[in-house]
Amino acid sequence: MSGALAEGKLRWGALLAVTALVLVAAGIYAVAAYQRFEESRTAASSVGITASQPLPAAPFILFRNTASGQGYGNAATVPLASPDGNRAVSGQECDRVYGTSEKVVCLKTNRGLVTAFEAAVLDRNWEQQRAWPVPGIPSRTRISPDGSMIATTVFVSGHSYATAGFSTATEISLPDGTSGNLEDFALMVNGERLLATDRNIWGVTFAPGQSDVFYATAASSGRIWLVRGSLSAKTLTAIHDNVECPSISPDGTRIAFKKNDGGALAAHWKVAILELATGQQTVLSEKRSVDDQIEWLDNRNLLYALAADGGNGDSNIWKLGTDPTSQPSLFIAHGWSPSVVR
């Protein structure tokens, strides 16, 4: 018995020693990886950049810089007239950005012993005006045309809209600092209130010239709708099927969106346009899967981001005309999360 006990202790001791070695090795690897990442961020940028400066005069493009080297992951701007020119890179790290001529909303990941996620509002000098925690991984954000309302969508579980069983949290922050979770709004489908608990709402876009109106995507029990939201009535009314991540045109007449033609288990999103007045849909020519909330460059052209070949956290911003015969063209290399400030 004593021999068996001693042998058991030896086995436990060996297991603990191996576990300790694995943990130490993992720690060394993590520290080394972090050091390599920090070194890469201080290296010379692979694109032309200028030092941080206030937001430029409109029109300009605000986006997340994904060029390797100094400024990787930071919010940046380029003039609308020269999107391929030198970019002014701020000192603010953001996962997702959107802005007006006077403010920027920045969704960010604060890494540490405990990773936390945050939404921050920055003024035109990139100074933080306010911030609040968000309950998951940054996904989408929009600001109303007058700058008074901010919408945020995060993943509470899962990390992609292609992930089975993902869950989102979408809130609209008001000027007085209060916010409302859109899952608390009444979801109306075919004139009746849908009371199912498995609801997800994401991808808000604010209607120009209508302070009470916004559009978003709602999903429940495998069905997906474009919903028209009312802030005052706290309602979400389904108006069309299978519209994801809507983005309303500057003239307020059309919705650009991603349309899944690949099924639930192998999502593939086409770029499409919905005429709000008639319900007519037009699928555009982009053949790659676009998992993004599309941005309108103007009333005839769209912008969206796709991961760059080779990955490594890089991406590119593409331009596509709303004419079905238009072909995509590179608009900003090494960029993500475009926001057109007019």
Side-chain angles (χ1 to χ4, degrees):
M1 178 68 72
S2 60
L5 181 60
E7 184 179 349
K9 286 183 177 181
L10 286 173
R11 287 178 178 174
W12 275 109
L15 178 61
L16 290 173
V18 170
T19 301
L21 286 172
V22 169
L23 291 174
V24 169
I28 292 172
Y29 177 82
V31 170
Y34 180 76
Q35 289 175 338
R36 288 194 299 271
F37 175 73
E38 287 301 306
E39 289 170 0
S40 70
R41 286 176 54 85
T42 59
S45 176
S46 60
V47 298
I49 64 173
T50 59
S52 178
Q53 52 190 276
L55 292 177
F60 63 90
I61 308 292
L62 167 71
F63 62 101
R64 180 179 188 258
N65 173 48
T66 63
S68 61
Q70 184 180 359
Y72 174 83
N74 291 15
T77 63
V78 289
L80 182 60
S82 55
D84 58 348
N86 284 358
R87 56 193 67 181
V89 179
S90 76
Q92 296 285 348
E93 295 181 40
C94 302
D95 297 326
R96 195 90 192 184
V97 293
Y98 205 79
T100 68
S101 60
E102 296 297 327
K103 70 174 63 171
V104 171
V105 59
C106 167
L107 299 188
K108 61 175 70 177
T109 301
N110 296 324
R111 293 175 176 83
L113 292 176
V114 177
T115 298
F117 307 100
E118 180 181 69
V121 178
L122 315 170
D123 66 15
R124 66 182 324 273
N125 295 310
W126 301 103
E127 296 293 332
Q128 183 171 297
Q129 301 301 296
R130 62 189 179 100
W132 61 96
V134 291
I137 300 170
S139 173
R140 309 283 188 247
T141 188
R142 283 291 192 269
I143 301 180
S144 60
D146 64 2
S148 64
M149 294 175 290
I150 294 171
T152 60
T153 295
V154 301
F155 287 111
V156 178
S157 64
H159 64 279
S160 165
Y161 295 100
T163 303
F166 73 86
S167 177
T168 59
T170 297
E171 297 184 343
I172 292 180
S173 175
L174 302 176
D176 61 4
T178 61
S179 62
N181 189 323
L182 295 191
E183 290 196 10
D184 296 330
F185 282 39
L187 176 56
M188 310 299 296
V189 179
N190 296 326
E192 297 184 359
R193 183 169 183 176
L194 185 67
L195 298 176
T197 58
D198 68 334
R199 300 189 304 168
N200 274 320
I201 295 97
W202 67 90
V204 168
T205 184
F206 293 101
Q210 302 180 69
S211 60
D212 188 56
V213 178
F214 63 91
Y215 296 88
T217 297
S220 178
S221 302
R223 294 193 64 189
I224 295 174
W225 304 275
L226 171 67
V227 294
R228 188 177 192 268
S230 168
L231 287 167
S232 59
K234 292 191 174 182
T235 56
L236 302 167
T237 303
I239 61 173
H240 207 281
D241 290 343
N242 299 320
V243 171
E244 296 188 58
C245 292
S247 178
I248 195 163
S249 60
D251 62 12
T253 64
R254 290 168 293 167
I255 294 282
F257 65 100
K258 60 179 192 177
K259 179 181 178 65
N260 185 10
D261 68 352
L265 298 179
H268 182 277
W269 287 288
K270 303 286 287 185
V271 178
I273 302 291
L274 173 70
E275 300 283 345
L276 286 171
T278 65
Q280 179 182 349
Q281 283 190 46
T282 303
V283 176
L284 302 184
S285 62
E286 174 63 82
K287 292 181 171 54
R288 295 165 295 184
S289 182
V290 178
D291 183 8
D292 196 11
Q293 186 168 16
I294 296 161
E295 172 73 339
W296 290 80
L297 177 61
D298 50 44
N299 282 313
R300 297 182 301 277
N301 296 282
L302 309 174
L303 299 178
Y304 49 88
L306 292 169
D309 294 339
N312 297 321
D314 194 8
S315 53
N316 297 308
I317 297 171
W318 294 81
K319 173 184 172 182
L320 180 66
T322 56
D323 186 309
T325 64
S326 176
Q327 296 298 311
S329 59
L330 183 63
F331 188 69
I332 297 177
H334 313 297
W336 175 256
S337 189
S339 172
V340 179
V341 181
R342 301 173 181 87

